Each structure stands twice: as C-alpha cells, then as structure tokens.
Amino acid sequence: MPRRDRISIQWKVFLYLIGFCILLLVVLWLLQIVFLNDFYKTIKTKEMQQTTQSIAKHIQQGNWEQITKEVSVQGDLTVELWEPNFGTLMLVGKLYNGAQITLNHWDKQTLMALTKQNGGSMARRYTGTRGLIWDQTVQESILYTSILTAANGEEQLLMVGANISPMDATVQTLRYQLYVISGIMLVLAVGLALIITKRVSRPIEALNRSAAQLAAGNYDVAFREGGYREIAQLSDTLDHAARELSKTEHLRRELIANVSHDLRTPLTLITGYGEMIRDLPGENTPENMQVIIDESKRLTTLVNNMLDLSVLQSGAKEINLQPCNITQQTQEIVHRIAQFCQKDGYQVVFAAHRPVWVQADIHRISQVLYNLLTNGITYTGKDKRVLVSQTVQDGRVTIAVEDSGEGIAQQDLPYVWERYYKVDTVHKRPVAGTGLGLSIVKSILQQHPHVDYGVRSTLGVGSVFWFSMPEIPPEL
Ligand code: ADP
C-alpha cells in the first residue's frame, strides 16, 4: 500500500535545512543583539583590569611613552595619575569621555581613601550621559583605581576609566548585518535544499519505479545505480533479488513442465496398454502387463522423490544417527543394482580394502548411494561401467561413484545439486530423470554432521560424485 500520508524526502530535507537556518539565526541574534551589552561589558572589564596593571607597571618604571601607546591602542581610555599634595601628575586620554564626570580634589581624596580601604585597588562602575544636551545617551563606564608609591615615598592614585557600553552605531551595524545574513541564509537554505533533494530523491524515485515493475512481474528490470554508496548498495540488492526471483520463477515454470511431462509419459503408456489389453484379444500378455507395472513404479518413484525432498527440506523428520558398517551397506546396494542392470550389459564394481564404521542414518545414506549409483548408470558412457570406491584417509572414509560418461561442464557443476536442475535437457538421451535425485542427496548429507560432499567432472571423460564422513571404531 502506498503511504501517501507520509512526508516526502524533498520536504523533509527542506524543513530540516530551514530549521537549521532558523536555529543559527536565533543563536546569532541572541549573541549580537540580546547579550551584546553583557558580552561587551565582560570583555571590556577584563581588558581594563589588565590595562590598569600594565599602566601601573609602566608608571613605576617611568615608561611614559608606553602609557601613551597603550591608551592610543585601547582608544577609549582616560588615565590620570594624581597625588594629594601636588594634584594631577599625568593625564592621558579624553578626560573620562564616556560619562562626563568631573572629579574634584575632594572626590579624588575620597577615592584614594576608598581604594586604600579596598586593599590598594578598586573598580567602580558608574553611569553618566554623553553627547550634546539635546542628544544625550546613557553610558556605562568603569573606573579602575590603584594606589602607587612613588620613589620619594609619596602615595599616588592611578585612575583608569573607560566606556563599557557598546557604541550605538555598532549595535545598529550589527542589527543591519543580521537582517542581511538572515536573508542570505534563507535563500541559500532553499537553494541547497532543492539541490540536495533533487540529487538524493531522484535515484530513490528511479529505484521505486523499477521496484514497482519488479513487483508487477517484470524480472528483467535493471536497477540503475545512483551516485551514492547506499543507493548503489540498494540497487545491487534489488538487482540480486530480481535475479533470484527470476531464477525461482524459471525453476517453477520448469518444474511444472517437468512434472507434467514426467507424469504424462507413464500415464499415457499405462492408459494405452490398458486399453490395448481390454480391446484387443491376445494382447493380455505378461510383457504388456509388465509395461503397466514398470510405468506405475516409475510414477511411484517420482511421487516418492517429490515427497522425500519436501519432507527433507522442511526438516520435519529428524535423522536417526547410529553406528553402521558403511562398507557392508555399500557392498549390498552395489550388488543389488549390479544384478538388476546386468541384463542390460552394465557393470557396477565396488572396491574397498576393509570394513569401515561410521555414525549415520543408514536408511538415508542408502538412499544417497542409490541415487548416486542410478545417476552413474544413467549417465555412464559406452563401456557401461560404474566404479564405486571406498578410501580411508586421516580418519575419514570417502565413498566415490565414478562413471565414464559425457561429464558435466564446469559452469554447470555448482547447479547439479539444485532442485529440478537438468544439464542440457535438449541433447540428453531420454532418461527418466526428475532433477530431484541430487538435491535429495544434498539434503540428506547436509543433515549429517561433519559430512563433506562434492563432484569432479571432466567433459568427455566422466564424473566422480563423492561424500566423506568420519570413521568410528567398529561395533561388534
Ligand atoms: P536426474 O533425475 O535428472 O538425474 P539429478 O538431481 O540426479 O536428477 O541430477 C541432476 C542433473 O545432473 C542431471 O539431470 C544430469 O544432467 C546431471 N548429472 C547427475 N549425475 C550425473 C552424472 N553421473 N554424469 C553426468 N551428469 C550427471
């Protein structure tokens, strides 16, 4: 079900970007407008403290030039050195220009007393007005005072004053800049959102369209890769899913074709022979009846194989592991099959050096042997020979079924174990294969612990199907 109520990626990215911009602007606004005064004051007050200390040092060292320099760098300072008996010794700067205060002799004496009380240095904030009488603004200033002792032992009062309110013009400039920045950022955010969403959502939309085609049953659809790693990975995954789906679909079609073909051939024969025996006198011969019996058996095998495989693959039945003599079991099966095929000229040989015991489900392993052997006989070459061998190495026993048939092409080898897989069905001689035998073998062997299996094949020479399992001590 399409979820149309959900917000699209485009809008989401857009909203996130706009949100981010607004957040940035709020932070800027808080710093530049709301807290500007406090910031300015804090910074200025700190600066003033340092400046007063360094000026005091310069005075004591008689470094007058440095003082003038410092005042001109700071711009806004007033420095005065005052002695009670002599009056002002030095005055640099704009005479407390922030707040037009005037300190008379007595004020300075009081300040000196207060500074002394305060331990030799003191900071005072005061407000005053600034500008012409008809255009005044309130200014906050700070006055640092410090007691110095001259070389002759006289005490002197050092006063350093400065504005700590930012200039109106500065505030105005900042505010104006903020408006411009806000505008630029909003335009940029919109542009960026458009570019990003286009680049991100385009490939996703393309993938979505292809996925819709896949859902509609078009398994050949190709998922175009987008420019991003995640989208490329998603494309790969979807491509893989499409390939797997198409394989499954192919197998399903083939299964229906195979099964209906495999069922139809024996059924046609059974019906045909049945009608012939019913309608034609003298046709009720044991040979004709045998055809009906053989074809019915073939049907039974086919149906049984299908059932076996579905039971095995669903894991419905547990395997029953027991110690068993695999050499003896193989020998018996080879013997039985050899006798059965002898009349058609087949030669099935078993080669083993000694009896070997393994932990296995003997009935299931017998089915494996039976399937591998019937395949060997079915596909072996003109010499009609199949060799079954048992070898033991490093505590493992290997049973191999070798034929001298056409062999299997390297590219087909991994697939022969798959359900309903038949190599080159066109050129093969008509064999009653169902494509189920080897997948039953695979399922059974996979259920056994520590079992390996595989196939080696050379075109024109033959194939060897093998499995190996750990040997256990013999049970007597
Ligand atoms: P089938 O009933 O068709 O033999 P299997 O699952 O036993 O089904 O085998 C799958 C396919 O593997 C066969 O159709 C055949 O093409 C190939 N195959 C199996 N065994 C051999 C063999 N010994 N030699 C050559 N091809 C084989």
Side-chain angles (χ1 to χ4, degrees):
M1 271 279 287
R3 308 283 295 260
R4 301 208 188 283
D5 52 327
R6 290 268 173 96
I7 190 164
S8 75
I9 289 190
Q10 263 170 347
W11 271 106
K12 210 156 209 179
V13 173
F14 185 70
L15 289 179
Y16 275 135
L17 271 175
I18 296 288
F20 180 67
C21 276
I22 291 176
L23 193 80
L24 272 183
L25 289 176
V26 168
V27 172
L28 261 179
W29 185 75
L30 283 177
L31 291 182
Q32 297 212 331
I33 308 289
V34 180
F35 297 123
L36 180 66
N37 270 335
D38 293 328
F39 265 125
Y40 192 82
K41 274 180 207 164
T42 321
I43 292 168
K44 198 77 192 182
T45 312
K46 261 217 181 111
E47 249 178 41
M48 284 285 299
Q49 211 169 3
Q50 283 168 359
T51 314
T52 313
Q53 277 166 9
S54 84
I55 288 177
K57 221 188 254 147
H58 293 321
I59 291 174
Q60 272 165 346
Q61 291 168 352
N63 227 341
W64 308 106
E65 256 177 49
Q66 278 302 112
I67 299 172
T68 333
K69 229 187 230 171
E70 193 119 11
V71 171
S72 66
V73 169
Q74 296 277 332
D76 213 9
L77 286 183
T78 305
V79 180
E80 181 177 356
L81 188 63
W82 180 81
E83 206 185 277
N85 294 332
F86 191 78
T88 300
L89 294 169
M90 180 194 76
L91 179 63
V92 195
K94 297 178 190 163
L95 194 61
Y96 313 110
N97 77 334
Q100 293 271 346
I101 53 158
T102 34
L103 298 169
N104 59 30
H105 185 79
W106 302 114
D107 293 334
K108 289 174 186 168
Q109 223 158 26
T110 317
L111 258 178
M112 194 164 186
L114 283 172
T115 313
K116 268 192 214 164
Q117 260 177 27
N118 208 45
S121 67
M122 184 178 78
R124 287 240 144 162
R125 285 187 185 188
Y126 57 93
T127 41
T129 45
R130 173 187 146 89
L132 299 167
I133 192 111
W134 54 86
D135 186 19
Q136 286 188 334
T137 48
V138 177
Q139 284 280 315
E140 204 176 344
S141 302
I142 191 162
L143 181 67
Y144 262 91
T145 48
S146 188
I147 305 287
L148 307 179
T149 314
N152 58 8
E154 284 289 334
E155 283 189 331
Q156 300 170 335
L157 178 68
L158 171 66
M159 293 169 278
V160 181
N163 274 330
I164 50 173
S165 299
M167 296 291 160
D168 274 352
T170 321
V171 178
Q172 276 300 328
T173 315
L174 286 177
R175 197 165 286 162
Y176 177 70
Q177 272 184 356
L178 194 61
Y179 294 141
V180 176
I181 290 174
S182 307
I184 293 175
M185 273 175 70
L186 282 177
V187 171
L188 279 182
V190 173
L192 210 66
L194 284 178
I195 294 171
I196 292 178
T197 51
K198 223 179 211 176
R199 301 209 61 180
V200 171
S201 65
R202 275 251 176 99
I204 295 180
E205 280 166 12
L207 280 185
N208 193 25
R209 278 195 295 275
S210 306
Q213 283 191 39
L214 178 67
N218 175 9
Y219 301 118
D220 297 328
V221 63
F223 288 90
R224 252 185 308 132
E225 278 191 13
Y228 307 94
R229 189 173 359 119
E230 290 80 359
I231 291 176
Q233 281 168 350
L234 182 60
S235 300
D236 286 349
T237 313
L238 285 170
D239 263 336
H240 180 68
R243 276 199 303 277
E244 289 301 310
L245 274 175
S246 111
K247 239 194 260 171
T248 314
E249 175 65 10
H250 181 70
L251 280 179
R252 191 182 65 83
R253 288 208 189 122
E254 224 179 325
L255 160 71
I256 293 172
N258 281 349
V259 169
S260 43
H261 175 262
D262 290 343
L263 290 177
R264 207 184 302 126
T265 320
L267 282 175
T268 316
L269 280 173
I270 292 170
T271 324
Y273 274 76
E275 283 171 353
M276 190 168 78
I277 291 167
R278 184 195 62 196
D279 299 338
L280 301 177
E283 285 297 335
N284 187 2
T285 60
E287 291 80 31
N288 286 348
M289 288 306 285
Q290 192 59 43
V291 172
I292 293 181
I293 292 167
D294 286 348
E295 291 307 310
S296 308
K297 275 188 186 158
R298 229 174 101 176
L299 275 181
T300 315
T301 316
L302 177 64
V303 173
N304 280 346
N305 272 352
M306 286 170 148
L307 284 177
D308 275 354
L309 194 62
S310 67
V311 168
L312 278 169
Q313 290 193 334
S314 68
K317 265 195 202 161
E318 293 275 297
I319 54 161
N320 177 21
L321 291 179
Q322 272 178 346
C324 57
N325 186 336
I326 192 157
T327 317
Q328 191 190 347
Q329 190 68 19
T330 316
Q331 170 90 60
E332 280 173 18
I333 293 173
V334 170
H335 183 68
R336 223 178 296 149
I337 292 184
Q339 267 197 335
F340 185 71
C341 303
Q342 220 171 7
K343 61 178 188 312
D344 296 322
Y346 286 99
Q347 206 187 348
V348 189
V349 187
F350 179 51
H353 293 294
R354 61 175 172 91
V356 173
W357 287 69
V358 292
Q359 188 79 7
D361 184 327
I362 198 67
H363 295 294
R364 300 253 166 110
I365 289 295
S366 303
Q367 197 176 357
V368 168
L369 285 165
Y370 185 83
N371 287 5
L372 292 183
L373 264 171
T374 36
N375 273 357
I377 291 164
T378 311
Y379 298 105
T380 196
K382 286 200 182 97
D383 64 355
K384 295 193 167 183
R385 271 173 67 89
V386 176
L387 172 67
V388 185
S389 62
Q390 172 198 289
T391 46
V392 187
Q393 201 182 6
D394 302 331
R396 291 181 73 84
V397 55
T398 305
I399 306 280
V401 179
E402 185 177 345
D403 65 61
S404 57
E406 282 176 23
I408 306 163
Q410 215 61 31
Q411 74 266 19
D412 290 325
L413 276 183
Y415 302 109
V416 293
W417 307 95
E418 279 178 24
R419 223 176 345 167
Y420 304 116
Y421 189 83
K422 293 183 182 186
V423 178
D424 198 12
T425 35
V426 182
H427 303 295
K428 212 178 69 181
R429 8 181 203 152
V431 197
T434 55
L436 292 178
L438 286 180
S439 46
I440 291 177
V441 167
K442 177 180 156 187
S443 299
I444 292 175
L445 292 177
Q446 279 181 342
Q447 280 184 338
H448 281 77
H450 315 299
V451 166
D452 269 349
Y453 63 91
V455 53
R456 299 186 296 275
S457 192
T458 317
L459 278 179
V461 177
S463 317
V464 183
F465 281 83
W466 60 269
F467 64 90
S468 76
M469 45 178 54
E471 179 185 8
I472 60 163
E475 299 231 337
L476 300 170

mmCIF file of all heavy atoms in Angstrom, residues 84-118:
data_model
loop_
_atom_site.group_PDB
_atom_site.id
_atom_site.type_symbol
_atom_site.label_atom_id
_atom_site.label_comp_id
_atom_site.label_asym_id
_atom_site.label_seq_id
_atom_site.Cartn_x
_atom_site.Cartn_y
_atom_site.Cartn_z
ATOM 1 N N PRO A 84 47.971 63.691 46.274
ATOM 2 C CA PRO A 84 47.185 64.641 47.100
ATOM 3 C C PRO A 84 47.878 66.014 47.254
ATOM 4 O O PRO A 84 47.221 67.047 47.203
ATOM 5 C CB PRO A 84 47.069 63.936 48.438
ATOM 6 C CG PRO A 84 47.327 62.501 48.161
ATOM 7 C CD PRO A 84 48.197 62.435 46.961
ATOM 8 N N ASN A 85 49.176 66.019 47.380
ATOM 9 C CA ASN A 85 49.851 67.295 47.639
ATOM 10 C C ASN A 85 50.072 68.096 46.372
ATOM 11 O O ASN A 85 49.981 69.320 46.353
ATOM 12 C CB ASN A 85 51.224 67.051 48.281
ATOM 13 C CG ASN A 85 51.037 66.435 49.655
ATOM 14 O OD1 ASN A 85 50.009 66.673 50.308
ATOM 15 N ND2 ASN A 85 52.012 65.642 50.075
ATOM 16 N N PHE A 86 50.287 67.391 45.285
ATOM 17 C CA PHE A 86 50.693 68.054 44.039
ATOM 18 C C PHE A 86 49.551 68.229 43.024
ATOM 19 O O PHE A 86 49.517 69.173 42.270
ATOM 20 C CB PHE A 86 51.802 67.197 43.397
ATOM 21 C CG PHE A 86 52.489 67.868 42.276
ATOM 22 C CD1 PHE A 86 53.469 68.848 42.517
ATOM 23 C CD2 PHE A 86 52.166 67.564 40.965
ATOM 24 C CE1 PHE A 86 54.092 69.456 41.470
ATOM 25 C CE2 PHE A 86 52.786 68.190 39.918
ATOM 26 C CZ PHE A 86 53.769 69.141 40.171
ATOM 27 N N GLY A 87 48.587 67.350 43.115
ATOM 28 C CA GLY A 87 47.478 67.370 42.129
ATOM 29 C C GLY A 87 47.761 66.403 40.999
ATOM 30 O O GLY A 87 48.484 65.412 41.191
ATOM 31 N N THR A 88 47.208 66.693 39.805
ATOM 32 C CA THR A 88 47.362 65.776 38.676
ATOM 33 C C THR A 88 48.795 65.780 38.154
ATOM 34 O O THR A 88 49.330 66.825 37.788
ATOM 35 C CB THR A 88 46.412 66.182 37.550
ATOM 36 O OG1 THR A 88 45.102 66.110 38.050
ATOM 37 C CG2 THR A 88 46.537 65.252 36.335
ATOM 38 N N LEU A 89 49.428 64.575 38.147
ATOM 39 C CA LEU A 89 50.803 64.460 37.659
ATOM 40 C C LEU A 89 50.810 64.128 36.165
ATOM 41 O O LEU A 89 51.695 64.533 35.444
ATOM 42 C CB LEU A 89 51.529 63.322 38.395
ATOM 43 C CG LEU A 89 51.751 63.536 39.878
ATOM 44 C CD1 LEU A 89 52.227 62.247 40.516
ATOM 45 C CD2 LEU A 89 52.761 64.646 40.112
ATOM 46 N N MET A 90 49.799 63.370 35.770
ATOM 47 C CA MET A 90 49.743 62.957 34.361
ATOM 48 C C MET A 90 48.284 62.740 33.974
ATOM 49 O O MET A 90 47.510 62.193 34.753
ATOM 50 C CB MET A 90 50.504 61.632 34.230
ATOM 51 C CG MET A 90 50.517 61.087 32.828
ATOM 52 S SD MET A 90 51.060 59.374 32.822
ATOM 53 C CE MET A 90 49.644 58.565 33.419
ATOM 54 N N LEU A 91 47.938 63.162 32.786
ATOM 55 C CA LEU A 91 46.568 62.912 32.307
ATOM 56 C C LEU A 91 46.628 62.569 30.826
ATOM 57 O O LEU A 91 47.051 63.373 30.009
ATOM 58 C CB LEU A 91 45.704 64.159 32.536
ATOM 59 C CG LEU A 91 44.267 64.059 32.058
ATOM 60 C CD1 LEU A 91 43.500 62.974 32.809
ATOM 61 C CD2 LEU A 91 43.552 65.396 32.238
ATOM 62 N N VAL A 92 46.265 61.359 30.511
ATOM 63 C CA VAL A 92 46.275 60.933 29.106
ATOM 64 C C VAL A 92 44.862 60.503 28.731
ATOM 65 O O VAL A 92 44.164 59.901 29.546
ATOM 66 C CB VAL A 92 47.223 59.726 28.888
ATOM 67 C CG1 VAL A 92 47.510 59.538 27.391
ATOM 68 C CG2 VAL A 92 48.493 59.863 29.657
ATOM 69 N N GLY A 93 44.422 60.796 27.504
ATOM 70 C CA GLY A 93 43.108 60.332 27.055
ATOM 71 C C GLY A 93 42.079 61.428 27.070
ATOM 72 O O GLY A 93 42.423 62.604 27.180
ATOM 73 N N LYS A 94 40.847 61.058 26.996
ATOM 74 C CA LYS A 94 39.808 62.046 26.709
ATOM 75 C C LYS A 94 39.002 62.466 27.933
ATOM 76 O O LYS A 94 37.792 62.617 27.853
ATOM 77 C CB LYS A 94 38.847 61.463 25.667
ATOM 78 C CG LYS A 94 39.543 61.182 24.352
ATOM 79 C CD LYS A 94 38.572 60.567 23.407
ATOM 80 C CE LYS A 94 39.262 60.031 22.172
ATOM 81 N NZ LYS A 94 38.385 59.102 21.468
ATOM 82 N N LEU A 95 39.634 62.529 29.033
ATOM 83 C CA LEU A 95 39.010 63.012 30.262
ATOM 84 C C LEU A 95 37.671 62.312 30.542
ATOM 85 O O LEU A 95 36.609 62.911 30.505
ATOM 86 C CB LEU A 95 38.804 64.526 30.209
ATOM 87 C CG LEU A 95 38.481 65.164 31.570
ATOM 88 C CD1 LEU A 95 39.611 64.958 32.555
ATOM 89 C CD2 LEU A 95 38.144 66.623 31.399
ATOM 90 N N TYR A 96 37.783 61.042 30.818
ATOM 91 C CA TYR A 96 36.596 60.246 31.184
ATOM 92 C C TYR A 96 35.445 60.544 30.230
ATOM 93 O O TYR A 96 34.349 60.881 30.613
ATOM 94 C CB TYR A 96 36.169 60.496 32.637
ATOM 95 C CG TYR A 96 37.337 60.440 33.583
ATOM 96 C CD1 TYR A 96 37.815 61.573 34.208
ATOM 97 C CD2 TYR A 96 37.980 59.212 33.804
ATOM 98 C CE1 TYR A 96 38.912 61.512 35.051
ATOM 99 C CE2 TYR A 96 39.082 59.152 34.638
ATOM 100 C CZ TYR A 96 39.546 60.307 35.249
ATOM 101 O OH TYR A 96 40.621 60.220 36.045
ATOM 102 N N ASN A 97 35.770 60.454 28.977
ATOM 103 C CA ASN A 97 34.820 60.982 27.989
ATOM 104 C C ASN A 97 33.518 60.207 27.930
ATOM 105 O O ASN A 97 32.524 60.685 27.449
ATOM 106 C CB ASN A 97 35.453 61.049 26.595
ATOM 107 C CG ASN A 97 35.512 59.686 25.949
ATOM 108 O OD1 ASN A 97 35.552 58.697 26.676
ATOM 109 N ND2 ASN A 97 35.505 59.656 24.644
ATOM 110 N N GLY A 98 33.529 58.948 28.447
ATOM 111 C CA GLY A 98 32.287 58.159 28.414
ATOM 112 C C GLY A 98 31.230 58.913 29.172
ATOM 113 O O GLY A 98 30.306 59.486 28.604
ATOM 114 N N ALA A 99 31.397 58.947 30.431
ATOM 115 C CA ALA A 99 30.462 59.727 31.237
ATOM 116 C C ALA A 99 31.214 60.990 31.635
ATOM 117 O O ALA A 99 32.314 60.923 32.155
ATOM 118 C CB ALA A 99 30.095 58.945 32.465
ATOM 119 N N GLN A 100 30.628 62.064 31.315
ATOM 120 C CA GLN A 100 31.335 63.321 31.578
ATOM 121 C C GLN A 100 31.352 63.611 33.065
ATOM 122 O O GLN A 100 30.613 64.439 33.556
ATOM 123 C CB GLN A 100 30.640 64.452 30.822
ATOM 124 C CG GLN A 100 30.762 64.323 29.336
ATOM 125 C CD GLN A 100 32.001 65.017 28.817
ATOM 126 O OE1 GLN A 100 32.616 65.807 29.545
ATOM 127 N NE2 GLN A 100 32.382 64.740 27.604
ATOM 128 N N ILE A 101 32.188 62.872 33.739
ATOM 129 C CA ILE A 101 32.215 63.165 35.174
ATOM 130 C C ILE A 101 33.386 64.089 35.463
ATOM 131 O O ILE A 101 34.411 64.058 34.775
ATOM 132 C CB ILE A 101 32.353 61.889 36.021
ATOM 133 C CG1 ILE A 101 33.559 61.064 35.536
ATOM 134 C CG2 ILE A 101 31.100 61.052 35.992
ATOM 135 C CD1 ILE A 101 34.066 60.142 36.599
ATOM 136 N N THR A 102 33.225 64.820 36.457
ATOM 137 C CA THR A 102 34.347 65.648 36.885
ATOM 138 C C THR A 102 34.651 65.288 38.328
ATOM 139 O O THR A 102 33.747 65.182 39.158
ATOM 140 C CB THR A 102 34.000 67.149 36.801
ATOM 141 O OG1 THR A 102 32.626 67.275 37.123
ATOM 142 C CG2 THR A 102 34.272 67.710 35.432
ATOM 143 N N LEU A 103 35.908 65.013 38.520
ATOM 144 C CA LEU A 103 36.314 64.650 39.870
ATOM 145 C C LEU A 103 37.127 65.825 40.419
ATOM 146 O O LEU A 103 38.148 66.195 39.840
ATOM 147 C CB LEU A 103 37.171 63.385 39.832
ATOM 148 C CG LEU A 103 36.500 62.097 39.298
ATOM 149 C CD1 LEU A 103 37.541 61.023 39.074
ATOM 150 C CD2 LEU A 103 35.453 61.611 40.283
ATOM 151 N N ASN A 104 36.634 66.410 41.524
ATOM 152 C CA ASN A 104 37.441 67.491 42.099
ATOM 153 C C ASN A 104 38.412 66.918 43.127
ATOM 154 O O ASN A 104 38.469 65.700 43.324
ATOM 155 C CB ASN A 104 36.528 68.575 42.702
ATOM 156 C CG ASN A 104 35.635 67.981 43.789
ATOM 157 O OD1 ASN A 104 36.047 67.021 44.456
ATOM 158 N ND2 ASN A 104 34.455 68.522 43.942
ATOM 159 N N HIS A 105 39.178 67.798 43.721
ATOM 160 C CA HIS A 105 40.221 67.386 44.650
ATOM 161 C C HIS A 105 39.682 66.450 45.726
ATOM 162 O O HIS A 105 40.279 65.418 46.028
ATOM 163 C CB HIS A 105 40.794 68.656 45.306
ATOM 164 C CG HIS A 105 41.960 68.365 46.185
ATOM 165 N ND1 HIS A 105 43.238 68.143 45.702
ATOM 166 C CD2 HIS A 105 42.047 68.215 47.541
ATOM 167 C CE1 HIS A 105 44.047 67.888 46.713
ATOM 168 N NE2 HIS A 105 43.336 67.943 47.849
ATOM 169 N N TRP A 106 38.501 66.830 46.267
ATOM 170 C CA TRP A 106 37.951 66.050 47.395
ATOM 171 C C TRP A 106 37.456 64.686 46.930
ATOM 172 O O TRP A 106 37.615 63.711 47.654
ATOM 173 C CB TRP A 106 36.808 66.833 48.088
ATOM 174 C CG TRP A 106 37.316 68.164 48.574
ATOM 175 C CD1 TRP A 106 36.959 69.393 48.134
ATOM 176 C CD2 TRP A 106 38.324 68.345 49.559
ATOM 177 N NE1 TRP A 106 37.673 70.370 48.775
ATOM 178 C CE2 TRP A 106 38.534 69.745 49.670
ATOM 179 C CE3 TRP A 106 39.087 67.498 50.372
ATOM 180 C CZ2 TRP A 106 39.447 70.299 50.552
ATOM 181 C CZ3 TRP A 106 40.000 68.075 51.247
ATOM 182 C CH2 TRP A 106 40.169 69.443 51.318
ATOM 183 N N ASP A 107 36.874 64.703 45.726
ATOM 184 C CA ASP A 107 36.425 63.405 45.182
ATOM 185 C C ASP A 107 37.597 62.446 45.093
ATOM 186 O O ASP A 107 37.519 61.276 45.475
ATOM 187 C CB ASP A 107 35.864 63.547 43.758
ATOM 188 C CG ASP A 107 34.574 64.338 43.748
ATOM 189 O OD1 ASP A 107 33.913 64.317 44.796
ATOM 190 O OD2 ASP A 107 34.248 64.928 42.702
ATOM 191 N N LYS A 108 38.712 62.996 44.586
ATOM 192 C CA LYS A 108 39.870 62.127 44.377
ATOM 193 C C LYS A 108 40.433 61.649 45.709
ATOM 194 O O LYS A 108 40.870 60.510 45.840
ATOM 195 C CB LYS A 108 40.947 62.850 43.575
ATOM 196 C CG LYS A 108 40.500 63.032 42.120
ATOM 197 C CD LYS A 108 41.448 63.855 41.315
ATOM 198 C CE LYS A 108 40.845 64.120 39.919
ATOM 199 N NZ LYS A 108 41.572 65.131 39.185
ATOM 200 N N GLN A 109 40.386 62.548 46.705
ATOM 201 C CA GLN A 109 40.874 62.150 48.023
ATOM 202 C C GLN A 109 39.999 61.002 48.577
ATOM 203 O O GLN A 109 40.524 60.027 49.129
ATOM 204 C CB GLN A 109 40.819 63.352 48.962
ATOM 205 C CG GLN A 109 42.067 63.407 49.789
ATOM 206 C CD GLN A 109 42.335 64.788 50.317
ATOM 207 O OE1 GLN A 109 41.405 65.602 50.485
ATOM 208 N NE2 GLN A 109 43.584 65.105 50.579
ATOM 209 N N THR A 110 38.664 61.172 48.388
ATOM 210 C CA THR A 110 37.756 60.118 48.873
ATOM 211 C C THR A 110 38.041 58.815 48.144
ATOM 212 O O THR A 110 38.102 57.743 48.755
ATOM 213 C CB THR A 110 36.280 60.513 48.597
ATOM 214 O OG1 THR A 110 36.123 61.877 48.923
ATOM 215 C CG2 THR A 110 35.320 59.653 49.372
ATOM 216 N N LEU A 111 38.222 58.933 46.812
ATOM 217 C CA LEU A 111 38.513 57.730 46.011
ATOM 218 C C LEU A 111 39.769 57.033 46.519
ATOM 219 O O LEU A 111 39.839 55.815 46.634
ATOM 220 C CB LEU A 111 38.751 58.124 44.551
ATOM 221 C CG LEU A 111 37.612 57.882 43.577
ATOM 222 C CD1 LEU A 111 38.019 58.367 42.198
ATOM 223 C CD2 LEU A 111 37.241 56.407 43.517
ATOM 224 N N MET A 112 40.805 57.872 46.873
ATOM 225 C CA MET A 112 42.072 57.317 47.339
ATOM 226 C C MET A 112 41.860 56.550 48.646
ATOM 227 O O MET A 112 42.351 55.417 48.816
ATOM 228 C CB MET A 112 43.054 58.461 47.548
ATOM 229 C CG MET A 112 44.465 57.980 47.696
ATOM 230 S SD MET A 112 45.572 59.362 47.455
ATOM 231 C CE MET A 112 47.130 58.536 47.488
ATOM 232 N N ALA A 113 41.030 57.174 49.527
ATOM 233 C CA ALA A 113 40.771 56.526 50.822
ATOM 234 C C ALA A 113 40.038 55.201 50.598
ATOM 235 O O ALA A 113 40.389 54.162 51.196
ATOM 236 C CB ALA A 113 39.935 57.452 51.696
ATOM 237 N N LEU A 114 39.039 55.251 49.702
ATOM 238 C CA LEU A 114 38.247 54.031 49.452
ATOM 239 C C LEU A 114 39.140 52.931 48.862
ATOM 240 O O LEU A 114 39.033 51.762 49.229
ATOM 241 C CB LEU A 114 37.114 54.321 48.458
ATOM 242 C CG LEU A 114 35.911 55.048 49.040
ATOM 243 C CD1 LEU A 114 34.951 55.460 47.917
ATOM 244 C CD2 LEU A 114 35.173 54.142 50.026
ATOM 245 N N THR A 115 40.027 53.328 47.925
ATOM 246 C CA THR A 115 40.913 52.346 47.290
ATOM 247 C C THR A 115 41.823 51.708 48.323
ATOM 248 O O THR A 115 42.059 50.499 48.300
ATOM 249 C CB THR A 115 41.747 53.014 46.184
ATOM 250 O OG1 THR A 115 40.890 53.809 45.386
ATOM 251 C CG2 THR A 115 42.453 51.987 45.320
ATOM 252 N N LYS A 116 42.344 52.574 49.211
ATOM 253 C CA LYS A 116 43.218 52.031 50.265
ATOM 254 C C LYS A 116 42.457 51.019 51.100
ATOM 255 O O LYS A 116 42.962 49.934 51.406
ATOM 256 C CB LYS A 116 43.699 53.176 51.166
ATOM 257 C CG LYS A 116 45.013 53.766 50.701
ATOM 258 C CD LYS A 116 45.555 54.658 51.800
ATOM 259 C CE LYS A 116 46.292 55.827 51.223
ATOM 260 N NZ LYS A 116 46.494 56.887 52.206
ATOM 261 N N GLN A 117 41.215 51.421 51.480
ATOM 262 C CA GLN A 117 40.369 50.512 52.286
ATOM 263 C C GLN A 117 40.182 49.173 51.574
ATOM 264 O O GLN A 117 40.100 48.122 52.203
ATOM 265 C CB GLN A 117 38.978 51.136 52.468
ATOM 266 C CG GLN A 117 38.796 51.793 53.810
ATOM 267 C CD GLN A 117 37.426 52.440 53.873
ATOM 268 O OE1 GLN A 117 36.495 52.002 53.204
ATOM 269 N NE2 GLN A 117 37.306 53.489 54.686
ATOM 270 N N ASN A 118 40.123 49.275 50.262
ATOM 271 C CA ASN A 118 39.808 48.083 49.451
ATOM 272 C C ASN A 118 41.053 47.222 49.185
ATOM 273 O O ASN A 118 41.015 46.298 48.388
ATOM 274 C CB ASN A 118 39.206 48.556 48.118
ATOM 275 C CG ASN A 118 38.260 47.517 47.550
ATOM 276 O OD1 ASN A 118 37.450 46.982 48.306
ATOM 277 N ND2 ASN A 118 38.381 47.230 46.274
#
